[in-house]
Amino acid sequence: MAAVSINTGIPRPDKSAFDVPPDQLKPLAMARRRWAEIDLPCDCRLMKQVYKEAPLFAEAMGYESGDQFITDYLSLDLDLVHRVLGWLEQEQPTEATPLQLVIEQAKAQPLAEHRRPTTEEQEAKGSDATFTGQDRGRSYLLRRIARDQPELLDQIGPDKPHRSARAAAIAAGIIKPVPTIRLVSDMAVVADKLCQHLTREQRIALIDLIAPDL
């Protein structure tokens, strides 16, 4: 008896979103959601494609951004996604890679040693700043947290003590928060906000700097 093929109407999750017409993006999004629920724990290599193509689904399905599509439709934690992406970019696995394995290895992954850039690296970066050999974005912060305070990794995400890697990095003392002060017409409000972030010595120094122009 000949084999019978049943068409469920849902494409393979690894089908490129760039190769399907707009009206077929929703079925592909359903396939991606099924992948996130069932297949992701066993093999997370598709994450790079899922993240890259998320803006296409967001536009087609009314989400504000690819990140919102990932968090709201696929129900994936964005910090986890970035942690997996960083690991996949570095390791380039060619075989099925369980998600839990990636999480554990990402936690233990050492940071690159700080060093000065070579002449070629300096010219490419256009800066003489200290070069770490790694991106200083979310992936870098997650690796710093994993090295310095790994217990914070499980506290990152929506409805958790730290909503983002940056918030956790601030709590860990890895980076310092940069206060934002709006220049409104009521200068008393501006002064109050400034005083919240300046020490007494800093306020005196600020007055000394401003006074000559008064």
Side-chain angles (χ1 to χ4, degrees):
M1 180 182 293
V4 177
S5 175
I6 300 176
N7 183 1
T8 63
I10 300 179
R12 290 173 53 92
D14 59 354
K15 185 176 182 63
S16 174
F18 296 101
D19 295 338
V20 301
D23 62 342
Q24 291 300 308
L25 282 174
K26 189 169 183 180
L28 182 54
M30 294 173 62
R32 295 282 169 90
R33 183 159 63 181
R34 179 176 294 181
W35 165 82
E37 294 173 348
I38 300 174
D39 299 326
L40 173 59
C42 302
D43 188 2
C44 63
R45 289 176 297 164
L46 190 62
M47 187 74 81
K48 293 173 67 174
Q49 181 180 342
V50 169
Y51 184 78
K52 179 181 178 181
E53 296 175 357
L56 291 177
F57 293 100
E59 182 177 358
M61 300 173 66
Y63 291 95
E64 292 183 359
S65 65
D67 285 355
Q68 188 184 44
F69 169 79
I70 288 173
T71 57
D72 292 3
Y73 187 80
L74 299 183
S75 300
L76 294 176
D77 180 86
L78 204 56
D79 283 317
L80 173 63
V81 169
H82 282 281
R83 196 186 310 174
V84 171
L85 289 173
W87 188 92
L88 291 175
E89 186 65 30
Q90 180 167 327
E91 300 297 331
Q92 299 290 330
T94 58
E95 298 180 351
T97 307
L99 178 62
Q100 189 59 38
L101 173 66
V102 173
I103 293 173
E104 293 302 322
Q105 291 194 5
K107 288 181 180 180
Q109 191 177 58
L111 282 167
E113 291 294 324
H114 287 254
R115 60 181 175 85
R116 295 293 297 174
T118 64
T119 301
E120 292 78 9
E121 288 167 346
Q122 265 192 343
E123 292 175 353
K125 286 172 68 67
S127 169
D128 61 356
T130 299
F131 181 75
T132 65
Q134 299 288 338
D135 176 70
R136 279 192 172 272
R138 184 188 304 266
S139 179
Y140 171 83
L141 293 177
L142 287 171
R143 290 195 299 275
R144 278 292 305 272
I145 294 168
R147 186 189 71 180
D148 298 346
Q149 294 194 36
E151 68 277 5
L152 291 181
L153 289 174
D154 294 330
Q155 301 177 23
I156 300 173
D159 302 322
K160 293 186 178 181
H162 309 293
R163 294 183 59 83
S164 67
R166 183 177 183 277
I170 291 174
I174 295 171
I175 59 175
K176 294 181 179 179
V178 179
T180 301
I181 299 174
R182 295 181 59 191
L183 295 179
V184 296
S185 57
D186 189 343
M187 297 311 295
V189 174
V190 176
D192 180 63
K193 291 293 184 181
L194 277 172
C195 289
Q196 291 178 20
H197 300 286
L198 298 177
T199 64
R200 182 174 182 277
E201 291 75 16
Q202 289 172 330
R203 294 197 296 270
I204 293 173
L206 180 61
I207 292 172
D208 289 340
L209 290 172
I210 296 174
D213 294 327
L214 297 179

